[in-house]
């Protein structure tokens, strides 16, 4: 039976709306109060299955003599390659099946191998050598272009030919739950003569997904669009925090810098491309046809429902946007082929953001910039709270899942709370 078979059931209880059924098996790095040593686990229902325990017990011996899971990051496991990823997925799926007695009936091993997710502290699961952020939602690029320029020239002429991206800052990628410090920087109002220095007054989120490079390429050896997906290990949710006032002043001519460098949050569980395989769909029609090095065919998009919620201080979270990853104009294969076509190398653990994922209507937009039309149309929550941009102590939560028949392959969530800026 394939690990993706919808009929598979685990002996671990999995609620119908859980993000982590046996068909998912995402990888993360965690510690528990009983064991402060970071190690690798998979999420199943509301539990974490400790793969280092299974490995030590001889139930997950993927590379003889080599410990892959008693480690603080996933990089060594990912480095073993696709064949090892597949064998791990099959072995873990087998061990968790309802009808397999090996782990199910070994109470002592089970007690060591499982921890409730509520007791686990999740860590950044990867060493991330490089981070690139694309700009692949046509609706987002159009919305932002309309505000920063004018609606007649919203989409720049290169956008329909080039999967636009910039090199981001890997050092400030943080895991869900890490507080986000409001940045200080230079801003300049359009009517002002001089720029000012101070804390950003237009702090925003960006609802994105990101993929993790699992097989890198050498300098000078591009990845072809046809083989690009085999280089990808998995995906996470990503919040590309953005200071719009700093961005608007600094972004010409080289693109964003300090407006994006202060923090990028990712969800702790990496959902593998193998688990997402059943949810591939046709992406939007690409017109004009992409240049030959970017030509793809067949279902290259992924049907992943996404939501953003905002929790003002002391208030419950309210959903402020619902959208879908399947609407992205440029697909992952095209992004990776374009990234490397110059000869640029990529490395295991490199993170590639999708760009903000937006639809055409405000309630499907992945940033406050778009939802509030650059602060001109405040967002009103049910309890009457109004927001133009994020305020101190606001918490922003992203979640997302692919919906199967009677089960969900989900990403959990990525959350971050805004902390007041440092004073100078
Ligand atoms: Ca972005």
């Amino acid at each position: 039976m394939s690990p993706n078979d919808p009929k598979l059931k685990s002996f671990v209880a999995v609620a119908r709306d859980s993000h982590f059924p046996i068909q998912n098996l995402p990888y993360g790095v965690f510690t528990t109060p009983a064991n402060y040593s970071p190690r690798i686990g998979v999420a199943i229902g509301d539990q974490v299955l400790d793969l280092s325990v299974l490995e030590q017990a001889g139930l997950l011996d993927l590379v003889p003599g080599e410990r892959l899971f008693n480690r603080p990051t996933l990089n060594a496991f990912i480095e073993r390659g696709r064949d090892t990823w597949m064998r791990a997925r099959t072995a873990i799926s087998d061990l968790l099946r309802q009808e397999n007695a090996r782990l199910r009936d070994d109470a002592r091993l089970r007690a060591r191998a499982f921890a409730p997710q509520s007791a686990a502290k999740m860590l950044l699961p990867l060493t991330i050598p490089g981070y690139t952020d694309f700009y692949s939602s046509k609706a987002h690029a159009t919305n932002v272009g309309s505000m920063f320029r004018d609606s007649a020239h919203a989409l720049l002429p290169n956008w329909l030919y080039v999967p636009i991206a910039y090199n981001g800052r890997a050092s400030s990628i943080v895991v869900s739950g890490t507080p986000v410090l409001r940045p200080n920087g230079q801003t300049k109002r359009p009517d002002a003569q001089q720029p000012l220095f101070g804390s950003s007054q237009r702090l925003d989120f960006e609802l994105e997904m990101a993929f993790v490079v699992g097989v890198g390429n050498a300098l000078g050896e591009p990845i072809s669009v046809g083989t690009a997906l085999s280089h990808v290990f998995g995906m996470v949710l990503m919040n590309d925090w953005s200071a719009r006032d700093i961005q608007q002043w600094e972004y010409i001519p080289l693109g964003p810098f300090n407006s994006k460098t202060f923090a990028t949050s990712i969800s702790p569980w990496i959902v593998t491309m193998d688990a997402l395989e059943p949810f591939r769909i046709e992406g939007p029609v690409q017109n004009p046809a992409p240049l030959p090095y970017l030509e793809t065919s067949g279902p290259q998009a992924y049907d992943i429902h996404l939501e953003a919620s905002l929790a003002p201080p002391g208030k419950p979270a309210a959903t402020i946007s619902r959208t879908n990853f399947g609407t992205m104009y440029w697909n992952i294969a095209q992004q990776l082929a374009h990234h490397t076509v110059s000869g640029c190398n990529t490395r295991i653990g490199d993170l590639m953001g999708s760009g903000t994922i937006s639809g055409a209507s405000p309630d499907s937009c992945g940033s406050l910039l778009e939802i509030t039309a650059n602060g001109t149309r405040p967002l009103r929550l049910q309890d009457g709270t109004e927001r133009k941009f994020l305020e101190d102590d606001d918490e922003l939560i992203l979640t997302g899942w692919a919906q199967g028949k009677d089960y969900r392959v989900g990403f959990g969530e990525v959350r971050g709370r805004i902390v007041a800026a440092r004073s100078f």
Side-chain angles (χ1 to χ4, degrees):
M1 231 185 219
S2 151
N4 290 342
D5 195 310
K7 290 194 290 293
L8 281 181
K9 293 256 189 285
S10 174
F11 62 83
V12 179
V14 177
R16 202 182 157 90
D17 61 351
S18 167
H19 283 199
F20 308 122
I22 192 169
Q23 289 83 1
N24 190 348
L25 306 179
Y27 295 97
V29 171
F30 71 105
T31 62
T32 51
N35 181 355
Y36 288 128
S37 175
R39 62 249 193 230
I40 295 168
V42 300
I44 176 80
D46 61 3
Q47 302 287 306
V48 185
L49 174 61
D50 185 337
L51 299 186
S52 74
V53 170
L54 297 186
E55 187 174 55
Q56 195 180 25
L59 297 181
L60 202 55
D61 200 13
L62 297 171
V63 181
E66 195 172 325
R67 290 283 167 85
L68 292 178
F69 298 115
N70 195 6
R71 291 180 184 255
T73 68
L74 276 155
N75 295 59
F77 167 63
I78 295 174
E79 192 173 355
R80 300 310 303 200
R82 172 157 293 273
D83 174 61
T84 303
W85 312 343
M86 302 291 276
R87 286 191 296 120
R89 180 166 170 76
T90 302
I92 297 162
S93 174
D94 275 343
L95 283 167
L96 284 170
R97 278 176 205 183
Q98 201 168 45
E99 59 277 15
N100 185 345
R102 181 64 188 85
L103 179 58
R104 187 193 67 196
D105 293 350
D106 187 336
R108 284 183 60 185
L109 182 59
R110 239 179 32 228
R112 286 171 46 226
F114 287 102
Q117 279 167 30
S118 57
K121 178 177 165 54
M122 301 306 298
L123 307 178
L124 194 68
L126 295 163
T127 299
I128 302 172
Y131 157 50
T132 301
D133 198 19
F134 284 85
Y135 191 59
S136 290
S137 160
K138 191 175 176 183
H140 174 69
T142 305
N143 293 340
V144 173
S146 304
M147 279 181 280
F148 281 27
R149 288 178 298 274
D150 63 282
S151 50
H153 305 93
L155 209 58
L156 291 169
N158 61 0
W159 197 91
L160 291 167
Y161 292 92
V162 182
I164 300 288
Y166 69 95
N167 286 303
R169 188 71 197 161
S171 64
S172 54
I173 295 174
V174 296
V175 75
S176 175
T178 308
V180 173
L181 185 68
R182 180 182 297 274
N184 287 308
Q186 278 196 38
T187 61
K188 185 181 143 330
R189 292 178 182 277
D191 54 351
Q193 290 293 313
Q194 299 289 328
L196 296 171
F197 178 81
S199 63
S200 170
Q201 300 302 302
R202 298 192 165 213
L203 184 54
D204 200 355
F205 72 99
E206 287 190 341
L207 166 53
E208 302 197 20
M209 300 200 67
F211 69 85
V212 176
V213 172
V215 180
N217 64 302
L219 192 66
E221 293 179 15
I223 295 171
S224 72
V225 73
T227 62
L229 272 183
S230 69
H231 287 257
V232 181
F233 176 71
M235 298 198 76
V236 291
L237 300 167
M238 190 176 99
N239 184 344
D240 179 28
W241 305 97
S242 298
R244 300 303 180 192
D245 40 5
I246 297 173
Q247 183 179 357
Q248 208 158 358
W249 171 229
E250 75 177 1
Y251 90 109
I252 295 168
L254 280 186
F257 187 57
N258 279 338
S259 55
K260 306 272 191 176
T261 54
F262 56 96
T264 306
S265 302
I266 64 170
S267 53
W269 296 108
I270 303 178
V271 177
T272 62
M273 299 320 281
D274 295 319
L276 293 172
E277 188 63 23
F279 305 100
R280 286 173 71 156
I281 54 170
E282 297 280 344
V285 173
Q286 296 181 314
N287 185 21
L291 295 175
Y293 80 97
L294 293 173
E295 262 175 33
T296 54
S297 61
Q300 296 288 338
Y302 292 84
D303 183 9
I304 299 168
H305 173 81
L306 298 165
E307 294 184 355
S309 304
L310 173 63
K315 304 256 176 72
T319 304
I320 59 172
S321 179
R322 292 177 175 85
T323 186
N324 195 295
F325 185 56
T327 61
M328 297 302 271
Y329 189 86
W330 295 107
N331 60 54
I332 291 171
Q334 290 170 327
Q335 289 169 339
L336 194 51
H338 180 68
H339 200 309
T340 60
V341 75
S342 64
C344 176
N345 52 330
T346 60
R347 289 175 287 190
I348 290 165
D350 277 354
L351 197 70
M352 310 270 173
S354 60
T356 306
I357 303 162
S358 289
S361 60
D363 60 358
S364 65
C365 283
S367 68
L368 284 170
L369 177 74
E370 295 163 271
I371 293 171
T372 70
N374 202 8
T376 62
R377 193 177 56 211
L379 171 70
R380 215 182 151 84
L381 304 180
Q382 256 181 353
D383 65 3
T385 308
E386 284 196 357
R387 283 291 182 277
K388 294 174 177 170
F389 290 96
L390 296 171
E391 298 188 4
D392 290 346
D393 298 319
D394 279 356
E395 189 170 33
L396 200 291
I397 306 120
L398 307 179
T399 187
W401 64 87
Q403 183 68 52
K405 189 180 182 314
D406 300 328
Y407 70 101
R408 282 176 175 179
V409 170
F411 289 79
E413 58 182 29
V414 53
R415 51 173 71 222
R417 189 185 295 280
I418 307 301
V419 175
R422 294 171 65 99
S423 51
F424 271 78

